[in-house]
Amino acid sequence: MRQLFHPMSQALALSLSTFFASPTQAQVIADTIYSGGTILTIDDASPRAEALATKDGRILAVGPLADLLAHQGESTRAYDLDGRTMLPGFVDSHGHVVMGGLQALSANLLAPPDGEVTDIASLQEALRRWIADNQDAIDAANLIVGFGYDQSQLAELRHPTKDDLDAVSADVPIIIVHQSGHFGAANSAALAKADITKRTPVPPGGIIRYGDDGEPDGVLEENAFFLALGTLLGGISEEGFKDFARAGAKLWASFGYTTAQEGRATPQVAAIAREVATEGGIDVDVVVYPDVLVDRDFILANRSDTYENGVRIGGAKLTIDGSPQGFTALRDRPYYDPVGSYPPGYAGYASASPEQVVDAIDWAFENDVQILTHANGEGASDMLLAAIDAAEKAHGPADRRPVLIHGQFLREDQVDALQRLDVFPSLFPMHTFYWGDWHRDRTVGPVNAENISPTGWVRQRGMMFGTHHDAPVAFPDSMRVLSATVTRRTRSGDILGPHQRVDVMTALKAMTLWSAYQHFEEDEKGSLEVGKVADFVILSGDPTSVDPEALDSLKVVATIKTDREIYRAKDGPQKARLVPPVGHHVLDVAHAASREN
């Protein structure tokens, strides 16, 4: 690796900077000076910079390297970007970082390009391989877990059943989670452990599917699945759930996220996140949003604008409907051509009643609690917007920043309502890649599929928006999020709704500054400006300079939290170096408490 400063030029620079620096500048010695690559600030006033200096975990100065040398001292570290590109650390607009560890620690049942499952047989084989490699964990939990199957990507175009899973193991309970997180399939042992029989009452907002013999066939939808999953995971120890949190935080950091979200938590999950953070097991910031239908007193007692060991309770989460690709999102019209046994005119269903939605939104507005609401279908968004309109009329305007999560099938009049009601849209353009072809052919049809995740409509109105991965629905792959937002290219190569595409800089703002605004943190994060937190991501190339079709090939090579490296790819930039006094040798040193992966 090349050295940032040549000894002779460095000596001259030190002399000149000492001579010309003001007394104030000379007294403020930087901890680190970053230079040697492209720096994208996401600050419209000065979008690019040659160098950046930090002090005590915050940004001290941004600008020409010659100016920043005034802050150079004997203890200053020089971080050579080595031609790579530095941006603000990504801010997670919506994801589930604690439960994201479930994805990291379970059998990978994803379809290409993220996995190898293409049919029921390859799903079974993936489970068998995972079982062979994880027998100790299986014995401890008496449970086999797989994550990420998607019936739309299986050759059979159906969910696996208990019979398919019994062929893998008839004795040990198996639960596999659909990529959307809204469905699951269980084997006979898991159904027995969860006490699901043909006599089990079907919970409101959920479905238990049955076979021709009248017995449950193993496929569970929405609230029926959530209840069964909770029962089955109940055998996992507290330390096991802590492992989820640690693995999730590490996974997020590997994709450049310095602020993560746990987007639907119970008080118990929030407590686990706090414990792990206190133990030093989470290097990123985590904003937790407990379920508003579970424990409102907990939310009121614990919400905070400040982090404690990197974790804070940001507000509340409400879920109105389910999965668009799974046909459980609540539409305002029938699904186009759904695959399965659906009645004529089937339009999905709500997992929360209209009364629950109105009550939850009214409570949030009355108590000035930020509320994030999962609404995918047009019918669900209608419920949300009506409730927000009524709550604002009842309690008056305030800077509450309610957030619509997903909004896959928004109508254009609903985007107008989002603007009028000051609702922040956190959209899911990764759907254009993963399920764009499915939406075109099965869920909404070729005309309406052009407008899923309508970032173009939002920008036409001058609105900010966030983009997300909803991990563990997909990997928290920041470059896949960026690519999908800019290109809207599907797995088959189709471009879905070219008029909804946005430029690269707009897409980057949705992952940084605007997502920071969503979390009330725009004064602290999201752009490289003096005084903000020193959270950075270093990419293998400049996303504003590469061919948009190559955005998904860019790699995160390092992630830096408060000026401390928390992730480094094997081919990442050189470690920071101490800037030596004249006449001394250059010492290679790692950042304090940094780790190399």
Side-chain angles (χ1 to χ4, degrees), residues 303-354:
R303 62 176 173 156
S304 176
D305 296 330
T306 59
Y307 290 93
E308 183 176 347
N309 298 313
V311 175
R312 70 179 180 91
I313 308 299
K317 172 69 179 295
L318 171 66
T319 301
I320 295 179
D321 67 346
S323 161
Q325 68 270 31
F327 309 115
T328 59
L330 178 63
R331 302 205 62 203
D332 64 349
R333 68 200 78 177
Y335 277 92
Y336 179 72
D337 188 16
V339 178
S341 300
Y342 297 101
Y346 175 77
Y349 56 90
S351 56
S353 69

Side-chain angles (χ1 to χ4, degrees), residues 365 378 381-390 392 402 404 410-425 457-458 461 463:
F365 273 57
E378 306 96 329
S381 292
D382 280 336
M383 291 171 66
L384 171 64
L385 292 168
I388 289 176
D389 192 19
E392 187 163 296
L404 166 66
L410 287 168
R411 303 187 306 266
E412 196 163 8
D413 67 285
Q414 291 176 323
V415 178
D416 289 333
L418 292 174
Q419 182 181 34
R420 175 174 57 85
L421 296 170
D422 199 23
V423 178
F424 184 93
W457 285 348
V458 169
R461 290 156 176 79
M463 299 166 62

Side-chain angles (χ1 to χ4, degrees), residues 55-91:
K55 181 70 175 178
D56 297 331
R58 290 188 175 267
I59 298 172
L60 174 64
V62 184
L65 177 59
D67 292 350
L68 269 61
L69 291 178
H71 301 289
Q72 182 178 295
E74 293 187 359
S75 62
T76 300
R77 295 180 291 260
Y79 197 108
D80 185 1
L81 297 173
D82 201 18
R84 295 173 173 89
T85 298
M86 186 167 84
L87 300 88
F90 297 129
V91 178

Side-chain angles (χ1 to χ4, degrees), residues 98 101-102 105 236-247 272:
V98 175
L102 176 65
L105 299 174
I236 297 177
S237 66
E238 180 178 330
E239 191 59 34
F241 279 106
K242 287 183 177 182
D243 285 341
F244 285 178
R246 296 184 192 103
I272 286 168

Side-chain angles (χ1 to χ4, degrees), residues 117-141:
V117 172
T118 57
D119 55 19
I120 299 295
S122 57
L123 181 148
Q124 292 169 325
E125 183 57 30
L127 284 170
R128 292 187 182 105
R129 287 197 304 268
W130 186 83
I131 291 168
D133 293 338
N134 294 273
Q135 195 59 57
D136 289 345
I138 293 167
D139 291 342

Side-chain angles (χ1 to χ4, degrees), residues 416-467:
D416 289 333
L418 292 174
Q419 182 181 34
R420 175 174 57 85
L421 296 170
D422 199 23
V423 178
F424 184 93
S426 176
L427 300 176
F428 201 175
M430 278 178 83
H431 255 257
T432 58
F433 175 76
Y434 284 108
W435 296 286
D437 300 312
W438 187 251
H439 289 319
R440 181 194 61 227
D441 299 337
R442 296 296 185 178
T443 66
V444 296
V447 174
N448 290 320
E450 297 288 299
N451 297 315
I452 65 169
S453 302
T455 51
W457 285 348
V458 169
R459 286 308 294 152
Q460 286 172 13
R461 290 156 176 79
M463 299 166 62
M464 294 183 288
F465 65 93
T467 53

